[in-house]
Every structure is written in C-alpha cells, then in structure tokens.
Amino acid sequence: MNDFRYRMAKFFSGRTGVDALGRAVTWLALILMLLTMITHSNICYLLAMACLLYSFWRMLSKNYQKRYYENAKFLEKTAGIRRKLSVLSAKLMAFFNKAKADYNQRKVYAIFKCPSCKQKLRAPKGRGKIQVTCSKCHTVFIKKV
Ligand SMILES: [Zn+2]
C-alpha cells in the first residue's frame, strides 16, 4: 500500500495536478454529461469528453508553469462571476438555514395569527386550550395548541 502511495506521489510530482481551472473544467464536463443524458445530444457528449480529456491532460501536464499562468488568467477573468456565485451561495445557505430553523420551530411551537391585527404569534405546542394575549394589540383570545 505504501509502495503504491509512493509510486502515485512520484507519478504526480512535477505535474500540474488539480487547480481551480481543472476543477471548473471537470464540473463543466459533469454538467455536459448530465445534459447528454437529458438531451441525448452527440455534441454535448463530445464536449463532455473533450472537457474530461482536457482536465486529465492539464492534471498530468509537466509544463506546470504554463498551466499555472493559464489558471491565473482563468481566475482573473472569472473573478467577477466567482464573487457573484459566492454571494449567491451564501444567500442560498442563509435561506436553507432559515427554512430549517422554521421547520424545527414548527415542531415545538404552534404558529398562528392574532384574529384582530393578524400579527404572527407562537406558543409551545401540546398544551391544549390556552389563553393568548397578542403581543402587538393586546387582544385576548383562546387558542388550541
Ligand atoms: Zn393582535
């Protein structure tokens, strides 16, 4: 096993390996493969294969200086879109976290609206009929939770 690892390390030393451009091309290949499965398009398939071959070739390339500059150029050109993507993914994460928190709250709390001012209110579940005082308009009403 160690021998295998040693040989792998030796094989990859002095080669480019996986960088940001390589990862992007691999993702592109995966997306194209997915598209191929949906559309059965030969062009998508060929493009996917071309992307895969290109990413392998970059990974194994010994001219890592040239590959390094390609990667730097790629990062420079995609800086704007990568910033937007990271903002978007942060927003998505926040949305899912909020949805998860809401879901967890609904397990523990009954959520309902005040009959007079429609203020959203909550009370611990499973207490039967309780008297609720609205936090906004102070209307008192009976609610089963
Ligand atoms: Zn109210």
Side-chain angles (χ1 to χ4, degrees):
M1 198 62 205
N2 276 335
D3 185 45
F4 175 73
R5 270 162 103 179
Y6 171 74
R7 272 188 294 168
M8 283 298 276
K10 203 179 168 196
F11 180 72
F12 277 105
S13 76
R15 293 177 197 261
T16 306
V18 183
D19 55 12
L21 178 55
R23 264 197 301 275
V25 175
T26 308
W27 272 108
L28 189 64
L30 287 175
I31 292 165
L32 283 166
M33 292 238 230
L34 213 74
L35 274 176
T36 307
M37 280 194 265
I38 298 164
T39 62
H40 300 286
S41 152
N42 286 332
I43 297 163
C44 279
Y45 180 74
L46 285 175
L47 282 173
M49 286 300 130
C51 284
L52 264 188
L53 283 175
Y54 178 64
S55 76
F56 274 129
W57 171 78
R58 281 197 89 244
M59 210 164 82
L60 301 179
S61 170
K62 283 189 166 170
N63 193 350
Y64 52 84
Q65 212 158 23
K66 202 166 173 204
R67 301 290 90 75
Y68 175 83
Y69 282 116
E70 282 169 4
N71 189 50
K73 212 166 178 185
F74 166 75
L75 288 176
E76 186 192 305
K77 286 204 169 154
T78 55
I81 193 163
R82 280 184 299 116
R83 204 176 307 118
K84 275 181 199 157
L85 277 176
S86 76
V87 169
L88 190 74
S89 75
K91 276 185 184 168
L92 270 174
M93 282 300 285
F95 175 79
F96 281 118
N97 283 336
K98 195 186 172 296
K100 201 173 147 198
D102 281 356
Y103 176 76
N104 285 333
Q105 276 226 337
R106 269 163 209 281
K107 278 196 291 194
V108 188
Y109 292 99
I111 296 176
F112 48 89
K113 281 176 181 169
C114 165
S116 86
C117 75
K118 309 293 177 209
Q119 166 73 24
K120 236 179 162 185
L121 300 168
R122 60 168 215 193
K125 265 184 176 173
R127 295 210 177 159
K129 276 185 182 174
I130 53 163
Q131 181 179 301
V132 182
T133 306
C134 174
S135 58
K136 199 173 165 193
C137 69
H138 307 291
T139 301
V140 176
F141 59 97
I142 303 291
K143 179 81 196 169
K144 193 172 174 287
V145 289

